[in-house]
């Protein structure tokens, strides 16, 4: 059975039997994979101290003869990607990445890596919104804040747009059922993605959170 080695980000680890773990991992060059970490729950396991989420890992694994689950052979924990104060927000980001990048996809590592970098330079609450949005943007799940996602028409940031069915729409494409997204929201969200020093009001953060939840709910159905 062929061995592989790659940089990786641990999405989640699930208990399996009394001693092992099933790992869901995003790798830099092999996409999302599932691995069995045999004996990883034992106190003296060499995997125990290294299998840490929100860290850059380098892993070696054996590909399966049949099926989709390989076997972990070695893991090196290289460095943390977030401060301790942002671990909870980081865990929430991992949960969203698990939805965005399901089993078998060949993307996800770079998108999550960049999102963690975005979060690391921003406050925890607003940073999670910016990091999630940036990850969805890189994955092609959302568009930018300067164009209608339906007709692709450019819309000045001084104008309001409309949010409905998990899409950002111009006035021509919107119906009376869509929610207005003010120019202030659009300007703030657009700027905050590239300028960490901007402070978002709490009501803007809540609006952004509802938009993200709507996008995730839509894609869960598919």
């Amino acid at each position: 059975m062929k061995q592989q080695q790659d940089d990786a980000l641990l999405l989640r680890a699930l208990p399996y039997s009394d001693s092992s773990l099933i790992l869901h991992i995003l790798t830099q060059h092999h996409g999302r994979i599932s691995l069995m970490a045999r004996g990883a729950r034992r106190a003296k396991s060499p995997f125990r101290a290294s299998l840490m989420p929100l860290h850059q890992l380098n892993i070696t694994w054996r590909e399966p003869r049949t099926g989709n689950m390989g076997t972990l052979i070695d893991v090196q924990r290289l460095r943390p990607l977030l401060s301790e104060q942002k671990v909870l927000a980081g865990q929430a980001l991992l949960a969203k990445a698990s939805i965005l990048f399901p089993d078998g996809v060949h993307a996800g590592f770079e998108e999550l890596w960049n999102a963690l970098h975005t979060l690391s330079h921003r406050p925890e609450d607003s940073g999670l919104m910016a990091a999630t949005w940036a990850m969805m943007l890189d994955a092609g799940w959302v568009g930018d804040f300067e164009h209608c996602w339906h007709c692709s028409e450019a819309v000045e940031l001084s104008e309001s747009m409309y949010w409905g069915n998990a899409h950002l729409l111009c006035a021509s494409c919107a119906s009376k059922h869509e929610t207005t997204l003010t120019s202030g929201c659009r300007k703030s969200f657009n700027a905050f993605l590239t300028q960490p020093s901007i402070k978002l009001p709490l009501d803007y953060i809540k609006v952004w959170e509802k938009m993200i939840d709507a996008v995730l709910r839509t894609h869960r159905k598919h």
Side-chain angles (χ1 to χ4, degrees), residues 34-213:
S34 297
L35 298 177
M36 177 70 71
R38 300 190 185 281
R41 300 175 68 190
R42 294 175 181 151
K44 295 184 179 180
S45 170
F47 299 147
R48 193 177 179 92
S50 298
L51 284 172
M52 297 289 291
L54 306 176
H55 283 67
Q56 180 186 2
L57 307 176
N58 186 270
I59 62 171
T60 303
W61 72 97
R62 185 181 299 113
E63 292 185 340
R65 288 180 180 174
T66 59
N68 299 316
M69 187 173 299
T71 302
L72 184 68
I73 297 173
D74 183 59
V75 56
Q76 302 295 322
R77 187 176 68 184
L78 302 182
R79 66 186 180 95
L81 300 175
L82 290 178
S83 65
E84 291 185 8
Q85 292 83 357
K86 295 179 181 176
V87 165
L88 288 178
Q91 290 172 342
L93 188 63
L94 293 182
K96 291 174 172 61
S98 290
I99 298 170
L100 282 167
F101 309 109
D103 289 335
V105 302
H106 294 286
F109 179 91
E110 296 295 340
E111 291 87 344
L112 179 55
W113 181 278
N114 293 336
L116 289 167
H117 178 78
T118 296
L119 175 57
S120 70
H121 290 83
R122 288 162 177 78
E124 187 174 5
D125 52 358
S126 55
L128 177 58
M129 301 304 108
T132 304
W133 193 269
M135 187 167 61
M136 295 194 302
L137 184 62
D138 286 346
W141 280 36
V142 297
D144 61 33
F145 288 107
E146 300 181 60
H147 295 81
C148 174
W149 298 0
H150 181 71
C151 69
S152 301
E153 192 72 25
V155 181
E156 294 292 334
L157 286 172
S158 58
E159 301 177 24
S160 294
M161 292 186 71
Y162 302 88
W163 181 257
N165 295 319
H167 281 74
L168 187 62
L169 305 171
C170 65
S172 299
C173 294
S175 71
K176 62 181 181 180
H177 302 293
E178 269 73 66
T179 301
T180 301
L181 187 69
T182 66
S183 61
C185 270
R186 288 179 60 223
K187 287 179 182 177
S188 297
F189 297 163
N190 196 58
F192 190 58
L193 287 170
T194 57
Q195 302 173 45
S197 59
I198 292 176
K199 293 185 178 180
L200 293 184
L202 181 58
D203 56 336
Y204 281 15
I205 295 172
K206 290 181 177 179
V207 168
W208 210 355
E209 183 177 19
K210 289 180 179 178
M211 292 170 66
I212 289 169
D213 287 345

